[in-house]
Each structure stands twice: as structure tokens, then as C-alpha cells.
Amino acid sequence: MPSISREEVAHLAHLARLDLAPDELDHLAGQLDQILGAVAQVTEVAADDIPPTSHALPLTNVFREDEQRACLPAESVLAAAPAAEDGRFRVPQILGDEQ
């Protein structure tokens, strides 16, 4: 497998708007070459007869079904609120008049 060159690292750094020193280019070229080698090994292992998976174990939905239940009366909830107005919670204004 061809290794990544110093010029290719400089090009990638330019695209990413990174200002790298010359010694950093050499250092990163070696690291990126190792990463590309590891990715190449993984692609060699991948077989056509193995379906792609997102999880090692099958997932099942563990949520319960939605069902209507009785809820608290609005009057008792609003009575416990610090401030209420017109059947709603009153909260401090955080936005200006413009929307």
C-alpha cells in the first residue's frame, strides 16, 4: 500500500485550514499512514457474505405502548406553581418584544 506523502498531509492541512510546522507534517504523515494501514486491514477482513451491522447484538424496542391515563387536574398543578395566569404557568419574559 502506498504511504501518504508529506505533500498530501500539507494539502489536507490546507483544506482543513490548519497551519502546521514542517516537523508536524512529517510526524502526521507517519500517523496517518498507520491509520490508513489499519483501515486497509479492516477492509480485507470484510467479506461479501457477512451483512453489514450497526450493533453486535440484535436490538429490540423496550418501550411500553402509549396509553392514556388520568393526569393531575390543571387547577391543583397551577395552585402549586409560583405564578399562574389565565390557566397557564407565568414565567419571566426572556425574549424582547421583537420576534
Side-chain angles (χ1 to χ4, degrees), residues 69-81 87 89:
R69 297 190 285 178
C71 61
L72 297 172
E75 299 80 29
S76 64
V77 173
L78 290 172
F89 293 105

Side-chain angles (χ1 to χ4, degrees), residues 2 5-8 14 19 30 34-37 49 58-59 64 69 72-73 87 91 96:
S5 70
R6 184 178 192 273
E7 290 74 26
E8 290 171 318
H14 174 73
D19 186 22
Q34 288 179 344
I35 292 170
L36 291 175
D49 59 336
L59 298 178
R64 63 172 170 77
R69 297 190 285 178
L72 297 172
V91 296

Side-chain angles (χ1 to χ4, degrees), residues 4-76:
I4 188 165
S5 70
R6 184 178 192 273
E7 290 74 26
E8 290 171 318
V9 174
H11 180 68
L12 289 172
H14 174 73
L15 292 174
R17 299 179 190 262
L18 298 174
D19 186 22
L20 298 177
D23 60 328
E24 290 176 310
L25 292 174
D26 294 329
H27 180 71
L28 289 174
Q31 289 184 339
L32 287 173
D33 194 40
Q34 288 179 344
I35 292 170
L36 291 175
V39 170
Q41 284 181 337
V42 170
T43 57
E44 289 174 5
V45 172
D48 292 335
D49 59 336
I50 300 173
T53 57
S54 61
H55 294 85
L57 301 173
L59 298 178
T60 57
N61 186 356
V62 295
F63 298 113
R64 63 172 170 77
E65 293 293 323
D66 287 337
E67 54 188 49
Q68 278 191 327
R69 297 190 285 178
C71 61
L72 297 172
E75 299 80 29
S76 64

